[in-house]
Amino acid sequence: MSADPSLNACVPTPSRPRGSTVRTARLAAEVLARLYTPFTEYRELSQQYQSTAPDTVRANAETFSEVFPRLTPLIREDELIVGAKRRDAEAAEIIAWFPDGQRNYAAGFAANTPPDRADIRAQAERGLLSPQGSLNHKVVDYAGFIRTGSRQWAQRAREAAEAHSGHERDFALAMELGHLALIRFAHGYATECLRLAETADPGRAEELRSLAEICRKVPAHPAETFHEALQSLWFAYMVAGDGVGRPDVYLWDFYQADLQAGRITPEQAQELIECLLIKLHGDYAEGVYNVSSIHTLTLGGVLPDGSDATNDLTRLFLQAIRSVRLLRPTIYVRLHEGTPQDVLELAVEMLGEGLSEPNFYGDKPILEGLTRIGVPLEGARDYALSGCTEVVLPGKGNWGAPNGWINLALLIDDAIRELAQAPEPTEELLWQIIERRAEELAETCRVCNTYVDEARVDPAYNACLFMPCCLDSCRDLVHGGADSYFGHWEAIGLPNSADMLYAARQLVFEGQESLPGLLEGLDAGDDALICHLRKLPRFGTGHESVDEIAGRLVDLMSRLLEQRSTPLREALVLGHLAGGENMHLCYGQIMGPTLDGRRAGETLADSLAGSQGVTTAGPTGVIRSLCRLDHSRLIAGNVSTLRLLPADFADAESRAKVISLIRTFVSLGGSQLQINVLDRETLLAAQEHPEDHAGLMVRVAGYSADFTHLGRPLQDEIIARCEVAELAN
């Protein structure tokens, strides 16, 4: 299989080159043309140095300490941030993940149910819930690590080992081994830089000697300059990966000090940021992924004292992302009433250029929800996003992110069908059935969360290396070493659920139609009935009664989850997102027809913003519906996809309307908002002639992807979202 640069492209290449400098233009071009073959050397060394230590953490540490420093240094021409695993240029295998919308993830996740609970397994197989695991996404303490360094971590670990015995002593020694190995790894790069400098031209030789000094210093010791901080961050990221956290916040003092000392210019800083972005895109994941959210980066927001966190680094990161135009990482800009206007103007310009980035998160409901479940306000203000859109606390917690999914649409369909068996079906009785079933489902989530936590053996060793709380407690991130534990459960199908319940109210409770008769016609595929159901008021159109039903469901499910804890987790919390698994498609494919007019096998709503093809009231209707929900009840993370047209970004006046819409969303209590800038005609043309539209970026669930490399079911589902009105209207 040959390399296809479009697999990694963010948008079709415009007239200007990628990168703000000749250097980053070359590096970006190389990362796009790269063959994404396996990390063969890493695989072989890992097999060769398998530890036999009985303690799992110790075994992980011994293997890591033997393998990581032995990796042959790889420094590409012009790189200013170094560190990479070598790929096998001769390998025929290309590692790849292209979501196609066809995989039945529910069947696989059913294996994560307790083996002694056949009833729960049956529920999972039919798609009522899908337990994923104990730990998925997180953000480690990159901010603290670049300020302390591995030498200090190793010393702390040695002291902890001397103060403990048994497993706790083994854990501390494992932390020491890991950090000493990371120092040796970096020193190997220092040596390689000096070797390459001997034959390089004078300019590059000077850069390589400077890099050698940096690699000799970090990550062993605290960083002191912006360049050192970025290099230390990258070395740590090579080990722990996942969410990058809030780099504009934790790198700000390094940048500011360099500016004041005359060591750096904004242009030089942007070039370094672009080098980091290129490394994130091309040198962490083993394969080529048509998914942006394997790396997630958070900008803006507020500081621990509540003041605006936005700074000139926020702007430089956005400019760098705009410049290199790569698929990864996913970018979130946290918003509040004091977010500077120029930052939003830049973000909206980027969206208008087809980047599908950045996305937005309103701070107010997230902070309200986190403090409600016991997170101190100062800590809550430091939240970041990881994975698709999961809310996490950097360096502090294991919040699952997520632990699993729940299918609200199936819950409501089951309740409606149970009601149809009642002699006198009433709306009050329907809600009693819903509350009972929701209570049962929340309890099942608790049982599954307990099981996956107890069943997991892997201690997430690499992440533990950069979690101070784990060293403080001498326990790993999975088994009690974090400062806080919550269980994220992501709902799917809220818009479908609200639409079903409103249809029942209109046709049965107020219209006096027979519920069994309606369901019989629905199951028989009665076209006239389905057409009638689809013409009823929908969530996402600003209809107050439908929105009230959706809000009631969110409050109910959130309350029931938050009332539950496990031996590990303080509470379970609700979100609403489909993830890279595209659970809206997965669940829809295995479900029968539903009272919202959905036929058997059709997809569920892709986000909170309404079912596909029904948000015809335009963006303002979507915003009204979304903001009638209590987003503080969706703090596990959620997705609201607003569909706009290219014309909405055509000039400054049009973009100002988009900014006003975003600010309105935030002021009314909205949390996550992502914007797809697309039209039906372009998507149909790209489906028919993908070679002419390579790099056409779309937001799918909580991630961006190249539309031309998505599976046909996903493409069709995205096209079905395009029944929207222009913002100008």
Side-chain angles (χ1 to χ4, degrees), residues 511-593:
Q512 300 300 306
E513 293 193 38
S514 163
L515 181 55
L518 286 172
L519 294 176
E520 182 179 351
L522 184 66
D523 291 341
D526 184 327
D527 290 337
L529 173 60
I530 290 171
C531 181
H532 179 55
L533 290 170
R534 290 183 174 184
K535 289 181 179 179
L536 292 174
R538 300 295 194 108
F539 184 81
T541 61
H543 192 281
E544 190 169 354
S545 294
V546 186
D547 299 346
E548 178 271 330
I549 292 171
R552 183 173 177 180
L553 282 173
V554 167
D555 292 346
L556 171 66
M557 201 71 235
S558 170
R559 174 175 53 80
L560 292 173
L561 286 172
E562 289 181 16
Q563 288 172 354
R564 284 164 166 79
S565 61
T566 73
L568 182 66
R569 301 186 187 274
E570 300 157 56
L572 307 186
V573 292
L574 182 67
H576 193 286
L577 64 92
E581 295 80 1
N582 300 297
M583 297 301 287
H584 63 303
L585 274 168
C586 169
Y587 284 154
Q589 288 165 358
I590 59 178
M591 282 180 64

Side-chain angles (χ1 to χ4, degrees), residues 474-528:
C474 288
R475 301 177 70 182
D476 69 69
L477 182 60
V478 176
H479 301 103
D483 285 342
S484 67
Y485 288 85
F486 296 104
H488 281 188
W489 286 86
E490 305 294 352
I492 295 293
L494 177 69
N496 305 89
S497 303
D499 295 347
M500 282 187 257
L501 291 171
Y502 185 77
R505 174 185 292 176
Q506 281 282 93
L507 302 181
V508 179
F509 310 130
E510 296 177 0
Q512 300 300 306
E513 293 193 38
S514 163
L515 181 55
L518 286 172
L519 294 176
E520 182 179 351
L522 184 66
D523 291 341
D526 184 327
D527 290 337

Side-chain angles (χ1 to χ4, degrees), residues 56 237 262 279 301 335 371 388 475 514 547 656 677:
T56 307
Y237 195 89
K279 298 297 282 185
L335 301 179
T371 53
C388 287
R475 301 177 70 182
S514 163
D547 299 346
V677 184

